[in-house]
Structure formats: C-alpha cells, structure tokens
C-alpha cells in the first residue's frame, strides 16, 4: 500500500511539473510560431507554419530602427544594474553592519518607496526630468528606473549582508582594514549569489519597463524595445504587423531566457541563502 502511494505521489508530482512547464513555456512557443507567419495567416491555428516567414526577423531590423532600440535597452538596463548594485552594496553595509539611530525607520521607508505604483510618481518624475534637461535622453530612463530598482536591491542585499559572520569583520578590523576595504574586499566576494540574483532581477525590470520609457522619450534615438514594439506600424494606419511584433518580442525575450539559464545556479543559491539562516 505504501509503495503504491509513493508511486501515486511521484506520478502526481510529474503531472504537476508538466502542467506548470507547459503553462510557462506555451506563450513563448506561440510567439515563435506567430513570428513565422505573415498577413492573415497569423489568425490560423497551426502547431507550426507550413511556410515559415523567417524574413520577419530580418525585416524587424531593416524596416524598423530596432537595432538602435535594442542598443538603448542594453545600455539603460546595464547602467541601471551597475549603479543600483554599487549604491546598494554601500547602503547595505551601513544598514546591516553599523548601528545608528533611525536605522529601522530608514529601512522601512526604503521598503515603502518600492511599493509605490509607477503611475503615482509619473507626474513628479516628469517634472524633475524636464527641470534637469534630461527629457528624451537615456539618462532620464536610467534615473527614473533607479526609483524601483534601488530600493529592491538595497533591501535584499541588506538581508544578505546581515547574515555574514561578524568574525570576518572583526578579523579585518584587527588587521587595520577600513570600512571600505571590509565592504569591497571582504564582504563583496561572499555576496556573489546575492549580486547575481538582485542584478538579474533589476536587469529584467529595467529591460521590460514601459510606462517611464513611453513618457520620457520622444523619438527613436532614445526609445527602448518595449516602446518600440508597442509603436510598430504597418504599411497603413489600419494594419498591425503582427509577424514583425512577434519576431521582435522573441528577439527581446530570448536574451533574458539565456541569462536565467546561465546564472540559474547562482540565482537559486542566492534565493536560498536569503531565505535560510545559519
């Protein structure tokens, strides 16, 4: 009886994993299938097109300034990750290892800032960016994206840094190390899983952001890929180039999938280290 119950549990678990996998991967699969269709063929239900339109992937770059948009997204997302992690590491060191008055309220305020919806701060950020003369530049996107990536990275890295052994810090102090040396040369190597996890999540958030990118950019010179895809147009105002849109979506999604597959071990170990003490 117990053996049959064990087999039943295994089968149930396998079925559940299969359902979750299909549910997760089907949108990406259907985007690939749709990207290989043209015209009214997009509305025909086929598991795979009989005549795949691979030219859609070429047309994305020849008929649209998609290469420039892709470069803008890479520059903005990379800059956001670098700046966010640098500021978050120093802030996390102060919040996790230094006792000072108002530390807990400051952490709660940081957490509260990350809970504000983007639409609630959109008008204020717009006025700030116009006042700084950054409208329609990549700098405006980097500055605005920090609003939701920096609180998240600070909070997560503070949790990780708080769990590091105090003996390491005490030994470094005995050897004459300054707080900067302790943070960058002692703690930083130990934070690699946390840095990979938070950095990748911040990169994905900046890569997929739409509202700020739509509001703070005016032309193709500063637009990122989410806005470029949303504003793709066909030969006339009554035509939506779904084949090109799906091809662009596949091109944009694929790098994120590759990054997650490359760093999956660091991501899992980082999440587990942040969830388990000791």
């Amino acid at each position: 009886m117990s053996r049959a119950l064990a087999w039943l549990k295994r089968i149930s678990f396998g079925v559940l994993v299969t359902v979750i996998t299909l549910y997760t991967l089907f949108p990406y699969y259907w985007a690939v299938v749709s990207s290989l269709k043209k015209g009214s063929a997009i509305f025909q239900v086929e598991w795979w097109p009989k005549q795949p339109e691979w030219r859609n992937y070429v047309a994305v770059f020849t008929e649209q300034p998609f290469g420039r948009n892709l470069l803008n997204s890479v520059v903005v997302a990379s800059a956001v990750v670098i700046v966010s992690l640098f500021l978050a590491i120093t802030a996390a060191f102060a919040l996790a290892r230094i006792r000072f008055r108002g530390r807990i309220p400051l952490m709660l305020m940081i957490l509260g800032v990350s809970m504000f919806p983007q639409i609630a701060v959109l008008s204020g950020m717009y006025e700030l960016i116009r006042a700084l003369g950054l409208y329609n530049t990549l700098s405006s996107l980097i500055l605005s994206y920090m609003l939701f990536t920096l609180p998240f990275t600070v909070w997560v890295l503070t949790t990780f840094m708080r769990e590091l052994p105090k003996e390491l810090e005490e030994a470094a102090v005995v050897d004459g190390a300054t707080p900067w040396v302790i943070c960058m040369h002692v703690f930083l190597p130990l934070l690699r899983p946390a840095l990979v996890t938070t950095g990748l999540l911040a990169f994905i958030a900046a890569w997929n952001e739409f509202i700020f990118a739509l509001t703070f950019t005016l032309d193709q010179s500063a637009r990122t890929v989410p806005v470029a895809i949303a504003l793709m147009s066909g030969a006339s105002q009554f035509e939506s180039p779904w084949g090109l849109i799906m091809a662009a979506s596949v091109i944009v999604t694929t790098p994120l999938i590759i990054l997650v597959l490359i760093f999956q071990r660091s991501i899992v170990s980082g999440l587990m280290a942040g969830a388990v003490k000791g």
Side-chain angles (χ1 to χ4, degrees):
M1 183 67 180
S2 59
R3 191 173 182 180
L5 185 60
W7 275 105
L8 182 60
K9 289 182 178 179
R10 289 183 181 181
I11 294 174
S12 301
F13 180 75
V15 171
L16 180 62
V17 171
T18 302
V19 171
I20 294 175
T21 302
L22 292 176
Y23 178 80
T24 304
L25 295 180
F26 183 79
Y28 182 75
Y29 156 75
W30 197 250
V32 173
V33 172
S34 301
S35 69
L36 299 177
K37 296 181 179 180
K38 188 176 182 181
S40 59
I42 195 75
F43 302 105
Q44 298 176 4
V45 179
E46 298 175 315
W47 292 112
W48 191 258
K50 296 179 181 179
Q51 296 180 343
E53 287 287 342
W54 297 101
R55 290 176 296 179
N56 286 336
Y57 288 90
V58 178
V60 167
F61 293 96
T62 57
E63 299 179 7
Q64 309 282 341
F66 194 70
R68 178 61 182 270
N69 305 135
L70 199 60
L71 179 61
N72 290 341
S73 287
V74 171
V75 171
V76 170
S78 301
V80 167
V81 170
I82 293 172
V83 177
S84 295
L85 289 182
F86 176 76
L87 296 177
I89 289 171
T90 54
F93 179 80
L95 292 171
R97 315 301 294 195
I98 301 175
R99 300 286 180 176
F100 59 91
R101 183 177 298 177
R103 183 171 62 94
I104 300 301
L106 180 59
M107 292 185 63
L108 293 177
M109 184 177 67
I110 292 174
L111 181 62
V113 169
S114 64
M115 295 181 179
F116 277 91
Q118 289 180 270
I119 196 67
V121 298
L122 185 62
S123 59
M125 285 298 302
Y126 179 81
E127 293 297 333
L128 176 62
I129 287 174
R130 288 297 296 265
L132 295 175
L134 299 177
Y135 185 73
N136 198 40
T137 63
L138 298 182
S139 300
S140 66
L141 301 182
I142 296 173
L143 177 63
S144 60
Y145 291 178
M146 297 287 292
L147 190 66
F148 56 84
T149 60
L150 187 56
F152 165 75
T153 52
V154 169
W155 183 267
V156 174
L157 289 181
T158 299
T159 303
F160 277 97
M161 195 168 291
R162 188 185 293 124
E163 300 300 324
L164 296 179
K166 192 175 182 180
E167 291 77 11
L168 291 175
E169 185 178 358
E170 293 175 347
V173 171
V174 171
D175 291 337
T178 62
W180 176 260
V181 173
I182 295 174
C183 179
M184 292 298 168
H185 296 279
V186 178
F187 287 164
L188 188 60
L190 301 176
L191 290 173
R192 183 180 179 276
L195 294 175
V196 172
T197 303
T198 55
L200 184 57
L201 293 177
F203 185 91
I204 293 174
W207 184 268
N208 293 329
E209 201 283 327
F210 177 78
I211 297 178
F212 286 165
L214 178 64
T215 305
F216 302 147
T217 57
L218 186 61
D219 53 41
Q220 297 290 355
S221 63
R223 283 176 182 162
T224 54
V225 285
V227 179
I229 293 175
L231 298 181
M232 279 186 178
S233 58
S236 66
Q237 60 178 337
F238 303 105
E239 179 186 356
S240 295
W242 291 111
L244 297 183
I245 292 174
M246 290 295 102
S249 300
V250 171
I251 294 173
V252 170
T253 306
T254 302
L256 300 181
I257 297 176
I258 295 174
L259 285 175
V260 171
L261 292 177
I262 292 175
F263 295 108
Q264 59 179 332
R265 290 188 178 180
S266 297
I267 295 172
V268 173
S269 60
L271 293 175
M272 291 297 294
V276 180
K277 293 184 178 181

